[in-house]
C-alpha cells in the first residue's frame, strides 16, 4: 500500500519477479482497458479527464474478477487495493494475507514527485523531471513527440487526491494493523534502497 508516487508499482514488480509471485496491479488492469478501448476503459478515461478517481465499486469488481483467475503458484502481490474499509474487510475474509507493506511518503514529497511527471503526447512514454529526464527538454527520447503534463496532475487535482487518499486509506492501514503484519517502510530513498529495506524486514536475502 502506498500513495501515488510512493513507488508501490515498482516495488511490487521487483518482489514479484524475484519471488515468483503474480503481480496484480490494479492500475495496470485499468490502463489495459483504456489502451484496448473497452467499455470500462471509456468509463475510466472520462473519470481521469475530470480529475476524478475510479470509483470503489468499479475497483472492487475488477479485483474480484482478477483474483478469481487464481493463476499463481506461490501467491500474489497486489497493489492499488484495497482502497477503503469495506474492500479491506472483503479482502481479509476472502484471502490469506501474509503481510502488508506500507510505503510511507510525506505529502510534500508526493507533490514534488507527481508534479514532475511528464508524458509523451505521441507514444505515451512516461518521464519524470526528477528521476527520468528526457535528453532534450520537452522532447520524447523515443519518438521526438512533445512532453505534456497529465490532465490530472495539476496542484488542485493532486490536493484532492491526497485528501481522498488519507480519508480512505489511513483507516485501512489501521484496520490491517490490528489484524495482520504491517510493515511501514520509508519510501523517500531511491528504489533499490527501499527494496532492500522491504526484503530485510521480511527476512529475505537482499
Ligand atoms: Zn514519444
Amino acid at each position: 500500500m502506498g500513495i501515488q508516487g510512493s513507488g508501490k508499482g515498482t516495488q511490487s514488480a521487483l518482489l514479484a519477479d524475484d519471488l515468483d509471485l503474480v503481480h496484480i496491479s490494479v492500475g495496470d488492469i485499468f490502463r489495459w482497458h483504456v489502451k484496448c478501448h473497452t467499455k470500462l476503459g471509456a468509463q475510466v478515461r472520462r473519470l481521469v479527464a475530470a480529475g476524478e478517481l475510479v470509483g470503489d465499486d468499479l475497483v472492487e469488481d475488477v479485483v474480484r474478477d482478477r483474483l478469481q483467475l487464481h493463476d499463481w503458484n506461490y501467491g500474489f502481490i497486489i497493489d492499488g487495493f484495497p482502497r477503503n474499509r469495506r474492500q479491506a474487510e472483503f479482502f481479509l475474509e476472502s484471502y490469506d494475507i501474509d503481510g502488508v507493506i506500507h510505503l510511507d511518503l510525506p505529502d510534500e514529497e508526493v507533490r514534488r514527485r507527481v508534479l514532475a511527471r511528464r508524458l509523451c503526447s505521441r507514444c505515451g512514454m512516461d518521464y519524470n523531471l526528477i528521476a527520468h529526464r528526457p535528453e532534450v527538454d520537452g522532447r520524447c527520447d523515443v519518438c521526438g513527440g512533445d512532453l505534456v503534463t497529465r490532465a490530472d496532475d495539476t496542484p488542485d487535482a493532486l490536493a484532492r487526491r491526497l485528501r481522498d487518499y488519507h480519508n480512505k486509506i489511513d483507516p485501512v492501514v489501521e484496520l490491517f494493523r490490528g489484524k495482520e503484519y504491517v510493515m511501514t517502510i520509508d519510501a523517500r530513498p531511491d528504489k533499490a534502497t527501499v527494496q532492500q529495506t522491504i526484503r530485510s524486514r521480511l527476512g529475505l536475502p537482499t
Side-chain angles (χ1 to χ4, degrees), residues 120 122-125 140 142-145:
C120 174
R122 200 183 292 164
C123 74
M125 177 89 173
C140 177
V142 179
C143 76

Side-chain angles (χ1 to χ4, degrees), residues 145-196:
D146 285 330
L147 299 188
V148 295
T149 306
R150 288 166 192 272
D152 57 337
D153 281 352
T154 64
D156 279 356
L158 180 60
R160 261 203 312 278
R161 291 203 298 277
L162 282 168
R163 219 166 32 237
D164 197 62
Y165 177 87
H166 288 298
N167 285 339
K168 286 185 173 162
I169 302 298
D170 293 352
V172 171
V173 174
E174 283 320 302
L175 176 75
F176 279 135
R177 235 186 262 288
K179 306 199 170 177
E180 302 288 340
Y181 176 45
V182 176
M183 58 191 124
T184 296
I185 307 278
D186 182 1
R188 284 172 302 180
D190 62 88
K191 65 183 178 189
T193 307
V194 172
Q195 180 70 195
Q196 230 168 32

Side-chain angles (χ1 to χ4, degrees), residues 14-195:
L14 288 169
L15 283 173
D17 276 356
D18 232 35
L19 303 174
D20 220 351
L21 303 171
V22 170
H23 177 203
I24 299 174
S25 158
V26 176
D28 283 352
I29 296 174
F30 282 110
R31 275 187 285 278
W32 180 88
H33 281 281
V34 169
K35 207 177 96 198
C36 297
H37 298 278
T38 65
K39 198 173 150 193
L40 177 62
Q43 231 173 320
V44 173
R45 213 185 269 268
R46 275 196 300 276
L47 289 168
V48 170
E52 308 271 329
L53 283 175
V54 175
D56 294 325
D57 290 341
L58 208 56
V59 171
E60 199 169 335
D61 288 346
V62 162
V63 170
R64 225 184 269 263
D65 287 351
R66 177 62 188 85
L67 290 174
Q68 269 163 9
L69 290 180
H70 221 284
D71 55 343
W72 50 84
N73 283 323
Y74 302 111
F76 62 85
I77 181 161
I78 186 164
D79 83 69
F81 186 86
R83 298 235 308 230
N84 60 35
R85 220 185 144 89
R86 196 190 67 186
Q87 291 175 358
E89 279 161 359
F90 150 77
F91 201 44
L92 281 166
E93 280 163 19
S94 318
Y95 293 92
D96 192 14
I97 303 165
D98 294 313
V100 177
I101 303 165
H102 174 224
L103 296 175
D104 187 32
L105 197 66
D107 287 359
E108 209 35 62
E109 181 61 13
V110 175
R111 265 184 223 109
R112 196 176 80 90
R113 291 186 183 190
V114 169
L115 297 178
R117 295 200 296 203
R118 296 293 182 272
L119 174 74
C120 174
S121 57
R122 200 183 292 164
C123 74
M125 177 89 173
D126 286 312
Y127 290 87
N128 187 298
L129 303 184
I130 305 164
H132 177 203
R133 295 190 68 89
E135 288 192 10
V136 180
D137 275 352
R139 288 265 160 261
C140 177
D141 294 344
V142 179
C143 76
D146 285 330
L147 299 188
V148 295
T149 306
R150 288 166 192 272
D152 57 337
D153 281 352
T154 64
D156 279 356
L158 180 60
R160 261 203 312 278
R161 291 203 298 277
L162 282 168
R163 219 166 32 237
D164 197 62
Y165 177 87
H166 288 298
N167 285 339
K168 286 185 173 162
I169 302 298
D170 293 352
V172 171
V173 174
E174 283 320 302
L175 176 75
F176 279 135
R177 235 186 262 288
K179 306 199 170 177
E180 302 288 340
Y181 176 45
V182 176
M183 58 191 124
T184 296
I185 307 278
D186 182 1
R188 284 172 302 180
D190 62 88
K191 65 183 178 189
T193 307
V194 172
Q195 180 70 195

